[in-house]
Coordinates of all heavy atoms in Angstrom, one line a residue:
Q1 N 0.8 -1.2 0.0 CA 0.0 0.0 0.0 C 0.9 1.3 0.0 O 0.6 2.2 -0.7 CB -1.0 0.0 1.2 CG -2.0 -1.1 1.1 CD -3.0 -0.9 0.0 OE1 -3.3 0.2 -0.5 NE2 -3.4 -2.0 -0.6
A2 N 2.0 1.2 0.8 CA 2.9 2.4 0.8 C 3.5 2.6 -0.6 O 3.7 3.7 -1.0 CB 3.9 2.2 1.9
M3 N 3.9 1.5 -1.2 CA 4.5 1.6 -2.5 C 3.5 2.2 -3.6 O 3.9 3.0 -4.4 CB 5.1 0.3 -3.0 CG 6.3 -0.2 -2.3 SD 6.9 -1.8 -2.8 CE 7.1 -1.6 -4.6
L4 N 2.3 1.7 -3.5 CA 1.3 2.2 -4.4 C 1.0 3.7 -4.1 O 0.9 4.4 -5.1 CB 0.0 1.4 -4.2 CG -1.2 1.8 -5.0 CD1 -0.9 1.6 -6.5 CD2 -2.5 1.0 -4.6
K5 N 1.0 4.1 -2.9 CA 0.8 5.5 -2.5 C 1.9 6.3 -3.1 O 1.7 7.4 -3.6 CB 0.6 5.6 -1.0 CG 0.5 7.1 -0.5 CD -0.7 7.7 -1.0 CE -0.9 9.1 -0.4 NZ -1.4 10.1 -1.4
E6 N 3.1 5.8 -2.9 CA 4.3 6.5 -3.4 C 4.3 6.7 -4.9 O 4.6 7.7 -5.4 CB 5.6 5.8 -2.9 CG 6.9 6.6 -3.3 CD 8.1 6.0 -2.7 OE1 8.0 5.0 -2.0 OE2 9.2 6.5 -3.0
E7 N 3.9 5.6 -5.6 CA 3.8 5.7 -7.0 C 2.8 6.7 -7.5 O 3.0 7.5 -8.4 CB 3.4 4.3 -7.6 CG 4.6 3.3 -7.6 CD 4.2 1.9 -8.0 OE1 3.0 1.7 -8.4 OE2 5.0 1.0 -7.8
Q8 N 1.6 6.8 -6.7 CA 0.6 7.8 -7.0 C 1.1 9.2 -6.8 O 0.9 10.1 -7.5 CB -0.6 7.5 -6.2 CG -1.4 6.3 -6.6 CD -2.5 5.9 -5.6 OE1 -2.5 6.3 -4.4 NE2 -3.4 5.0 -6.0
D9 N 1.9 9.3 -5.7 CA 2.5 10.6 -5.4 C 3.5 11.1 -6.4 O 3.5 12.2 -6.8 CB 3.1 10.6 -4.0 CG 2.1 10.6 -2.9 OD1 0.9 11.0 -3.1 OD2 2.4 10.3 -1.7
I10 N 4.3 10.1 -6.9 CA 5.3 10.5 -8.0 C 4.5 10.9 -9.2 O 4.9 11.9 -9.8 CB 6.1 9.2 -8.3 CG1 7.1 9.0 -7.2 CG2 6.9 9.5 -9.6 CD1 7.9 7.7 -7.3
A11 N 3.4 10.2 -9.5 CA 2.6 10.6 -10.7 C 1.9 11.9 -10.5 O 1.6 12.6 -11.5 CB 1.6 9.5 -11.0
S12 N 1.8 12.4 -9.3 CA 1.1 13.6 -9.1 C 2.0 14.9 -9.1 O 1.5 16.0 -9.0 CB 0.3 13.6 -7.7 OG 1.2 13.6 -6.6
L13 N 3.3 14.7 -9.2 CA 4.2 15.8 -9.4 C 3.8 16.5 -10.7 O 3.6 15.9 -11.7 CB 5.6 15.3 -9.5 CG 6.3 14.9 -8.2 CD1 7.6 14.2 -8.4 CD2 6.4 16.0 -7.2
Q14 N 3.6 17.8 -10.6 CA 3.1 18.6 -11.7 C 4.2 19.4 -12.5 O 5.2 19.8 -11.9 CB 2.0 19.5 -11.3 CG 0.8 18.7 -10.7 CD -0.3 19.7 -10.3 OE1 -0.7 20.6 -11.0 NE2 -0.8 19.5 -9.1
I15 N 3.9 19.7 -13.7 CA 4.7 20.5 -14.6 C 4.3 21.9 -14.4 O 3.1 22.3 -14.2 CB 4.5 20.1 -16.0 CG1 4.9 18.6 -16.2 CG2 5.3 21.0 -17.0 CD1 4.5 18.0 -17.5
I16 N 5.3 22.8 -14.4 CA 5.0 24.2 -14.4 C 5.4 24.8 -15.8 O 6.3 24.3 -16.5 CB 5.7 25.0 -13.3 CG1 7.2 24.9 -13.4 CG2 5.2 24.5 -11.9 CD1 7.9 26.0 -12.6
Y17 N 4.8 26.0 -16.1 CA 5.0 26.6 -17.4 C 5.5 28.0 -17.2 O 5.3 28.6 -16.2 CB 3.7 26.6 -18.2 CG 3.3 25.2 -18.5 CD1 2.3 24.5 -17.7 CD2 3.8 24.4 -19.6 CE1 2.0 23.2 -17.9 CE2 3.5 23.1 -19.8 CZ 2.5 22.5 -19.0 OH 2.2 21.2 -19.3
F18 N 6.2 28.5 -18.2 CA 6.9 29.8 -18.2 C 6.4 30.7 -19.4 O 5.9 30.2 -20.4 CB 8.4 29.7 -18.3 CG 9.0 29.0 -17.1 CD1 9.2 27.6 -17.1 CD2 9.4 29.7 -16.0 CE1 9.7 27.0 -16.0 CE2 10.0 29.1 -14.9 CZ 10.2 27.7 -14.9
D19 N 6.4 32.0 -19.1 CA 6.2 32.9 -20.2 C 7.3 32.9 -21.2 O 8.4 32.4 -20.9 CB 6.0 34.3 -19.7 CG 4.6 34.5 -19.0 OD1 3.7 33.8 -19.4 OD2 4.5 35.4 -18.2
F20 N 7.1 33.4 -22.4 CA 8.1 33.4 -23.5 C 9.4 34.2 -23.0 O 9.3 35.3 -22.4 CB 7.6 34.1 -24.7 CG 8.6 34.3 -25.8 CD1 9.1 33.2 -26.5 CD2 9.0 35.6 -26.1 CE1 10.1 33.4 -27.4 CE2 10.0 35.8 -27.1 CZ 10.5 34.7 -27.8
D21 N 10.5 33.5 -23.1 CA 11.8 34.1 -22.8 C 12.0 34.5 -21.4 O 12.7 35.4 -21.0 CB 12.1 35.3 -23.8 CG 13.6 35.6 -23.9 OD1 14.4 34.7 -23.7 OD2 13.9 36.8 -24.1
K22 N 11.2 33.8 -20.5 CA 11.3 34.1 -19.0 C 11.7 32.9 -18.2 O 11.4 31.8 -18.6 CB 9.9 34.6 -18.5 CG 9.4 35.9 -19.2 CD 10.1 37.1 -18.8 CE 9.5 38.3 -19.5 NZ 10.3 39.5 -19.4
S23 N 12.2 33.1 -17.1 CA 12.5 32.0 -16.1 C 12.0 32.3 -14.7 O 12.2 31.6 -13.8 CB 14.1 31.8 -16.1 OG 14.7 33.0 -15.6
N24 N 11.2 33.4 -14.6 CA 10.6 33.7 -13.3 C 9.3 32.9 -13.2 O 8.7 32.6 -14.2 CB 10.4 35.2 -13.1 CG 9.5 35.8 -14.2 OD1 9.7 35.5 -15.4 ND2 8.6 36.6 -13.8
L25 N 8.9 32.7 -11.9 CA 7.8 31.8 -11.7 C 6.5 32.7 -11.7 O 6.4 33.7 -11.1 CB 7.9 31.2 -10.3 CG 9.0 30.3 -10.1 CD1 9.1 29.8 -8.6 CD2 9.0 29.1 -11.0
L26 N 5.5 32.1 -12.4 CA 4.1 32.7 -12.4 C 3.4 32.3 -11.1 O 3.8 31.3 -10.5 CB 3.4 32.1 -13.6 CG 3.9 32.4 -15.0 CD1 3.2 31.6 -16.1 CD2 3.8 33.9 -15.3
P27 N 2.4 33.1 -10.7 CA 1.7 32.7 -9.5 C 1.1 31.3 -9.5 O 1.2 30.6 -8.5 CB 0.6 33.8 -9.4 CG 1.1 35.0 -10.1 CD 2.0 34.4 -11.2
S28 N 0.6 30.9 -10.7 CA 0.0 29.5 -10.8 C 1.2 28.5 -10.6 O 0.9 27.4 -10.0 CB -0.7 29.3 -12.1 OG 0.3 29.5 -13.2
A29 N 2.4 28.8 -11.0 CA 3.5 27.9 -10.9 C 3.9 27.7 -9.4 O 4.3 26.7 -9.0 CB 4.7 28.4 -11.7
R30 N 3.8 28.8 -8.7 CA 4.2 28.8 -7.3 C 3.2 27.8 -6.5 O 3.7 27.1 -5.6 CB 4.1 30.2 -6.6 CG 5.2 31.1 -7.1 CD 5.2 32.4 -6.4 NE 6.2 33.3 -7.0 CZ 7.5 33.3 -6.6 NH1 7.8 32.4 -5.7 NH2 8.3 34.1 -7.1
N31 N 2.0 27.8 -6.8 CA 1.0 26.9 -6.2 C 1.3 25.5 -6.5 O 1.3 24.6 -5.6 CB -0.4 27.3 -6.6 CG -0.9 28.6 -6.1 OD1 -0.4 29.1 -5.1 ND2 -1.9 29.2 -6.8

């Protein structure tokens, strides 16, 4: 059960996106 939960947690890591030619974090990215 712990391994299954960990796999689910790994899969829940989310991608963040950036504006064109920027590397600063958008408010949605911070969340």
Side-chain angles (χ1 to χ4, degrees):
Q1 291 299 325
M3 285 177 58
L4 178 62
K5 175 65 174 141
E6 185 174 357
E7 288 172 7
Q8 291 170 342
D9 286 343
I10 288 171
S12 71
L13 289 170
Q14 296 182 47
I15 299 169
I16 63 162
Y17 298 95
F18 294 89
D19 284 336
F20 174 68
D21 202 26
K22 302 284 184 196
S23 60
N24 58 315
L25 298 175
L26 299 169
S28 60
R30 291 180 183 279
N31 292 336

